[in-house]
Amino acid sequence: MKYANDVIFILDAGGTGFKFSVMHDAHEIIEPFTIPSAAPTLSEVLQKIIDGFKMCEEKCGSKASAISFCFPGPADYPNGIIGDLENLPTFKGGVPLKQMLENIFQVPVYINNDGDLFAYGEALGGLLPEVNNLLEQQGNPKRYKNLLGVTLGTGFGGGIVIDKVLLNGDNSAGGEINRARNPLYATTSAEDSVSIRAVRRVYAREAGIPFDEAPQPFDIYKIATGEQKGNKEAAQKSWDELATALADILANAVSLVDGIIVIGGGLSGAWPVFMPKLIEKMNEPFTDLNGHQVSRMETTAINLMDAEEMIRFTSKSGKMVRVPFSDQEVWYDPNKRVGVGVTKLGTSSAVAIGAYAYAIQQLGLKKLEQK
C-alpha cells in the first residue's frame, strides 16, 4: 500500500466505547485510547466525540488532514447523518454528525459502517494481498480482486470490496449481511444465530441452564477445546450451530461477490472449533426435487486457516489448451475456488486501516477535482 503523508484522525465508534487513534503514512502514530460512549443526552455523547478528536490533536501535535471513522448500524453515510442506533439511542431521529465535525475542525469528515471499513482494510492490507502474494510465490497466475468481510461479535456485520472499491450501495446499505434470513429459525434474522448471544443461548439450551448462567463465548471456546471444565458437548454444539447458520449465509453471499471471505470480530478467534464445520456446510450439496445432488455453489470453499489447504488453494493448477485452427495455446484453469480465512490485521487494526485508506482516497479525488 502506498499513501500520501496525510495525518488522519480515526474513530471506531461502538455502543460501549469510542476508540480513537491517529494514522500517518498508514501507521498509528499515537497509542489508541478509548472514551466510554454511554451518556444520558445526545449533547454529552457528541461532546465525548469532540473531546476525543481534540485529544488526538494534542497527542500527535498536529492538525488533521481529515477525520475518518465508523459507526455501527443505519446511517446516510455519504452525507454523514447517523440514524437510529440500538446501542446509541440518543442519536434517534438522525444527527448530521459529519457537518457538525467539519464545522468544528474545518477538515473533511468521512463516516462509514464498521463492517465496510473492516472489509476495506483487509482488502488493502490484510488477507486479500496475502493470498495474492502466495499465489505469485507459487507461480500461479490467478489473482483475487474481490472480498467479502464479515464480523462476528455483539452483532453480525459485513462489507464488500470489488476490485479495491468499497461497495456502499445506493442507500448506504451495501454489505448489510445481518439482514439475511436465519436459515435455522426462518422468522428471525441471521444475527440471532451468528452473534455472542447466539453462542451463549445454544450453550444454555444444550447444558440445561438459564441463559444468564451461560459462560461467555471465550470460555465456551475453551470448554469446547478441553482447556476449561464445562459441558464440552454443549460447547461444541453452540459453535456448530453458529457455523451451520453462517455457512448458508456466506454461501449465498459469496455466490454474488465471488471473492475471498475474511472473518473478524470478537468471535473470530474461535475459528479452530467452528471453521471445519463452516467449510463442510458451505460445500454441502443441494438435493433437487428429483433426488439428484447438485453443487451448493459454483465454487468450492477452502479453509485458508489450514496450512495444507492454503497450499492447495494457492498452488498452480490448470493446463495449456490449444486455440482451434492455430498453433497457439492459452492457460485454462477450470478449478473455481474461494478461500475463507480469519483477519490478518486484527479487527480493530483493519477498521483503522480501512478508515485511513478511505480518507486518503477521498482526499486524492478531491484534489483531482480542484485541479
Side-chain angles (χ1 to χ4, degrees):
M1 295 184 298
K2 292 183 179 179
Y3 300 110
N5 292 323
D6 290 277
V7 173
I8 310 296
F9 291 177
I10 306 293
L11 165 61
D12 186 351
T16 58
F18 293 141
K19 184 177 180 180
F20 294 88
S21 186
V22 178
M23 295 193 73
H24 171 70
D25 198 22
H27 294 91
E28 287 183 320
I29 59 173
I30 68 166
E31 186 70 28
F33 62 94
T34 300
I35 297 175
S37 56
T41 67
L42 175 62
S43 294
E44 289 173 280
V45 174
L46 295 176
Q47 192 61 52
K48 287 172 179 280
I49 295 173
I50 295 166
D51 290 345
F53 286 126
K54 286 182 177 178
M55 288 174 65
C56 287
E57 202 168 77
E58 292 170 8
K59 286 177 179 290
C60 75
S62 172
K63 296 283 186 181
S65 302
I67 291 172
S68 183
F69 61 101
C70 68
F71 250 76
D76 176 355
Y77 286 113
N79 292 311
I81 302 172
I82 304 301
D84 297 353
L85 301 178
E86 185 175 339
N87 292 331
L88 291 165
T90 58
F91 281 82
K92 187 174 179 62
V95 178
L97 192 55
K98 171 184 167 72
Q99 191 61 58
M100 181 199 81
L101 291 171
E102 288 184 341
N103 290 344
I104 294 169
F105 292 97
Q106 295 295 300
V107 297
V109 174
Y110 308 108
I111 310 175
N112 279 285
N113 177 269
D114 50 357
D116 290 341
L117 292 182
F118 165 72
Y120 200 42
E122 287 289 336
L124 297 178
L127 184 62
L128 187 62
E130 179 180 275
V131 167
N132 284 330
N133 287 338
L134 289 171
L135 287 166
E136 184 177 10
Q137 289 172 22
Q138 299 221 60
N140 190 331
K142 176 75 174 179
R143 296 293 182 272
Y144 285 83
K145 298 180 179 180
N146 307 321
L147 179 137
L148 168 66
V150 295
T151 53
L152 318 179
T154 304
F156 180 34
I160 297 168
V161 180
I162 304 296
D163 198 7
K164 298 184 179 180
V165 177
L166 181 62
L167 175 66
N168 290 313
D170 290 327
N171 297 286
S172 300
E176 290 291 340
I177 200 166
N178 66 303
R179 295 301 180 178
R181 185 179 296 278
N182 189 327
L184 301 180
Y185 308 97
T187 61
T188 70
S189 76
E191 208 164 73
D192 279 323
S193 282
V194 187
S195 59
I196 288 172
R197 67 181 182 273
V199 174
R200 296 184 67 212
R201 174 179 53 78
V202 176
Y203 183 91
R205 183 191 72 202
E206 295 297 313
I209 61 175
F211 176 83
D212 290 344
E213 295 179 15
Q216 292 300 317
F218 180 69
D219 296 306
I220 296 173
Y221 164 68
K222 293 179 76 174
I223 292 169
T225 61
E227 298 175 62
Q228 188 169 307
K229 290 183 179 180
N231 190 323
K232 188 172 183 179
E233 186 176 341
Q236 189 58 59
K237 177 65 177 177
S238 68
W239 293 111
D240 284 350
E241 188 161 309
L242 177 143
T244 300
L246 183 59
D248 189 68
I249 296 158
L250 292 184
N252 288 332
V254 81
S255 293
L256 300 176
V257 177
D258 188 17
I260 297 295
I261 299 173
V262 60
I263 300 171
L267 298 180
S268 62
W271 68 263
V273 294
F274 72 73
M275 187 69 83
K277 176 67 72 173
L278 174 66
I279 299 298
E280 173 194 331
K281 288 294 183 180
M282 286 185 72
N283 290 324
E284 193 171 75
F286 289 129
T287 301
D288 68 18
L289 296 179
N290 294 317
H292 301 135
Q293 287 194 339
V294 293
S295 298
R296 173 67 178 83
M297 302 182 293
E298 286 285 331
T299 57
T300 299
I302 303 294
N303 180 5
L304 299 183
M305 304 308 292
D306 182 298
E308 291 184 2
E309 288 292 284
M310 176 64 98
I311 292 172
R312 173 188 165 203
F313 184 76
T314 55
S315 293
K316 187 175 182 179
S317 61
K319 61 182 180 180
M320 299 298 293
V321 293
R322 187 175 294 278
V323 177
F325 310 113
S326 78
D327 293 329
Q328 292 177 297
E329 287 187 326
V330 295
W331 189 260
Y332 171 56
D333 187 352
N335 298 306
K336 297 181 179 181
R337 297 169 290 192
V338 293
V340 185
V342 170
T343 173
K344 293 297 176 183
L345 298 169
T347 306
S348 183
S349 292
V351 168
I353 288 175
Y356 175 82
Y358 186 82
I360 294 297
Q361 178 200 54
Q362 295 302 309
L363 288 173
L365 291 174
K366 188 175 181 180
K367 288 174 184 176
L368 285 174
E369 291 171 357
Q370 291 172 346
K371 287 183 178 180

